[in-house]
Amino acid sequence: MEIKYFKSDFTPLAQTQVWLFEVDSQEIKREIGLDKNNRVVFALPDKNCPRGLFGDSPVSFNLEDMEVITKEEFEAMWDTII
């Protein structure tokens, strides 16, 4: 099972400009929402939202429309919030 990392400018929430996703077999495992200054606004899942914002949403994604990023890029941003 391969884990992949993606960046998207999909902005369903006003305060987010960019989303970073960790995806395993087409399922989003972790997600990070960034504002226009690249600051973390959301980092999910967490205790209040254990499936994440998109895990509980009927929104579907076409991963081919997203920019691929490295695990290191994702983890560096994730590490700023924990």
Side-chain angles (χ1 to χ4, degrees):
M1 199 172 328
E2 184 179 5
I3 296 175
K4 297 180 180 179
Y5 300 87
F6 298 93
K7 179 179 180 179
S8 173
D9 59 2
F10 174 69
T11 57
L13 304 172
Q15 64 267 45
T16 60
Q17 297 297 307
V18 172
W19 283 91
L20 307 179
F21 298 104
E22 178 184 63
V23 179
D24 179 3
S25 300
Q26 300 289 344
E27 182 177 314
I28 296 173
K29 297 297 186 182
R30 293 189 290 172
E31 56 202 66
I32 302 169
L34 305 174
D35 69 10
K36 65 182 178 182
N37 297 312
N38 252 6
R39 290 182 298 221
V40 174
V41 180
F42 294 100
L44 300 168
D46 65 14
K47 66 180 180 177
N48 296 318
C49 192
R51 289 187 35 86
L53 182 67
F54 295 101
D56 287 332
S57 170
V59 174
S60 62
F61 295 94
N62 184 355
L63 297 177
E64 293 159 6
D65 291 339
M66 294 186 196
E67 177 184 339
V68 176
I69 62 171
T70 66
K71 176 180 181 179
E72 291 75 21
E73 289 173 285
F74 184 93
E75 294 295 347
M77 194 59 72
W78 186 264
D79 287 346
T80 67
I81 48 98
I82 58 170

